[in-house]
Amino acid sequence: MTLTPEPDHIPVLLAEVVEALAPKDKGTYLDGTFGAGGYTVAILDAAACVVWAIDRDPEALSSGEALFARYPDRLHLVHGRFGDMVDLLGSRGVSGVDGIALDLGVSSMQIDDRARGFSFLRDGPLDMRMEKSGRSAADVVNTLSEKELADIIFLYGEERHARRVARAIVEGRRERPFSRTLHLADVIRSEVRRANDGIDPATRTFQALRIYVNDELGELERGLRGAERMLRPGGVLAVVSFHSLEDRIVKTFLRARSGAAIRPSRHTPASLGGATSVATFKPLSRRPITPTDHETATNPRARSARLRIAERTAAPLLTTVAGGLA
Ligand SMILES: C[S@@+](CC[C@H](N)C(=O)[O-])C[C@H]1O[C@@H](n2cnc3c(N)ncnc32)[C@H](O)[C@@H]1O
């Protein structure tokens, strides 16, 4: 008999993430995207350690409570956003951790539940809020200007036909405001032809709206800065991203933070100057780690996944070195 129900979400790059974090007995780890708990369970099974797991989706956390019995005193579930990790854990007496995992985006449970409104294949309310609160996707498409919609669809969906889609949305909502996913998907499909790659034309616009509604890129930036604060020297950050916008943010952040000594500005007081190395991270792999052919064959969600890993150095935060904002 197994203690956990069969998860609907197959964790992506699980072995690689756990290998990178190398959990140790008595260590403290942070899983910023609990989801179905795949990473959390693997970390807890790898060592006699403690895991603090955050998820912004209250439903994900309620399902996770079943794990308390299996890991008494070792698992802590926290509702909130990983972008707020410093405050969320700080207010619970945790100021440093030995490893952090972020597995970005939505889970299969969220996509598959039509009531959550993420899917352009199954009809449901046009919602897309991971937190189940705040502004929904319907609010966004029914109220933003055509220009704002076009910008969002272009920027976050990398949709070449963003203007055309935005125009169709604004015309469509005059007739009937959007409240269902398939209504929106049909309007998009009537404007954008299916490309040779077979990808549904609604994919990019739905991605854009989801990213915007949940401020996913802002969260990622805040999460990376939070990780820089929370990780103890030697602690590892592992981030799995699923599209180029996310991966670019992670790559740029790690590149900036792992640069050689930053030349102090001539305005920096001499006492703070000198050849201070401010590299707070050391990348552990030059290129992003991608799933094996076997993994992509058995889990289609893994296809676009990219894992970047880096180790926190002992360097203090830039704020404390140069007095400015990092
Ligand atoms: C891809 S799933 C994680 C799956 C997990 N690694 C597993 O193995 O089951 C992403 C999860 O992260 C949550 N999430 C996404 N962005 C978040 C954020 N900024 N803060 C907290 N949770 C977030 C989503 O609600 C979702 O449950």
Side-chain angles (χ1 to χ4, degrees):
M1 193 183 80
T2 162
L3 283 171
T4 30
E6 199 54 42
D8 295 321
H9 179 96
I10 308 171
V12 170
L13 288 164
L14 176 67
E16 291 82 351
V17 167
V18 176
E19 189 187 329
L21 296 181
K24 292 187 185 47
D25 291 352
K26 298 204 169 100
T28 303
Y29 298 87
L30 167 58
D31 179 353
T33 50
F34 176 74
Y39 286 11
T40 288
V41 164
I43 297 167
L44 286 166
D45 284 345
C49 59
V50 166
V51 172
W52 289 82
I54 299 177
D55 205 295
R56 67 195 291 183
D57 184 346
E59 282 187 12
L61 290 183
S62 336
S63 317
E65 285 171 9
L67 292 170
F68 285 142
R70 186 160 148 191
Y71 303 102
D73 305 327
R74 295 214 284 136
L75 169 63
H76 303 274
L77 297 178
V78 181
H79 182 235
R81 303 177 180 191
F82 62 65
D84 297 327
M85 63 174 78
V86 175
D87 292 338
L88 288 173
L89 266 65
S91 63
R92 289 163 172 85
V94 180
S95 56
V97 295
D98 301 295
I100 297 180
L102 300 178
D103 181 14
L104 303 175
V106 278
S107 66
S108 303
M109 291 86 69
Q110 289 166 328
I111 296 266
D112 293 346
D113 180 356
R114 64 173 73 205
R116 304 298 302 267
F118 289 105
S119 172
F120 48 78
L121 297 175
R122 297 183 196 87
D123 197 29
L126 188 53
D127 191 315
M128 300 196 195
R129 295 170 298 177
M130 291 188 209
E131 238 139 38
K132 302 183 101 174
S133 64
R135 197 157 57 151
S136 71
D139 295 333
V140 170
V141 296
N142 288 326
T143 58
L144 262 52
S145 71
E146 186 176 324
K147 159 94 172 62
E148 286 168 321
L149 286 170
D151 287 349
I152 289 168
I153 296 166
F154 182 70
L155 205 62
Y156 300 149
E158 300 181 290
E159 169 60 84
R160 277 191 305 133
H161 306 294
R163 280 170 196 277
R164 204 191 301 163
V165 172
R167 194 178 322 125
I169 290 175
V170 169
E171 277 165 17
R173 77 189 183 196
R174 269 190 217 117
E175 256 172 57
R176 177 160 60 100
F178 288 94
S179 64
R180 310 289 300 176
T181 52
L182 286 196
H183 177 199
L184 178 63
D186 287 344
V187 167
I188 301 164
R189 290 182 192 128
S190 67
E191 290 302 315
V192 184
R193 268 193 302 133
R194 191 179 283 266
N196 292 339
D197 56 15
I199 289 179
D200 190 306
T203 311
R204 290 179 291 273
T205 299
F206 268 62
Q207 171 184 299
L209 289 170
R210 197 199 82 201
I211 291 177
Y212 180 77
V213 164
N214 295 289
D215 185 22
E216 291 181 38
L217 302 185
E219 264 303 295
L220 177 55
E221 284 171 7
R222 285 187 288 279
L224 293 171
R225 286 200 297 269
E228 188 180 32
R229 286 180 175 272
M230 295 283 312
L231 278 170
R232 297 189 178 121
V236 169
L237 171 65
V239 188
V240 177
S241 61
F242 289 89
H243 52 76
S244 55
L245 299 167
E246 290 170 340
D247 185 52
R248 204 174 305 144
I249 290 174
V250 182
K251 181 171 127 184
T252 309
F253 175 83
L254 290 178
R255 190 173 281 169
R257 295 309 211 256
S258 61
I262 290 180
R263 218 168 288 148
S265 128
R266 58 195 170 89
H267 304 297
T268 308
S271 59
L272 293 174
T276 315
S277 169
V278 288
T280 50
F281 279 103
K282 183 176 90 186
L284 295 180
S285 82
R286 215 165 53 82
R287 301 188 155 275
I289 297 162
T290 52
T292 59
D293 292 345
H294 175 71
E295 179 168 5
T296 48
T298 49
N299 184 8
R301 229 182 66 81
R303 246 176 256 148
S304 50
R306 285 194 161 15
L307 165 65
R308 291 194 186 264
I309 50 179
E311 184 183 303
R312 181 71 170 88
T313 68
L317 291 173
L318 199 56
T319 39
T320 59
V321 173
L325 272 181

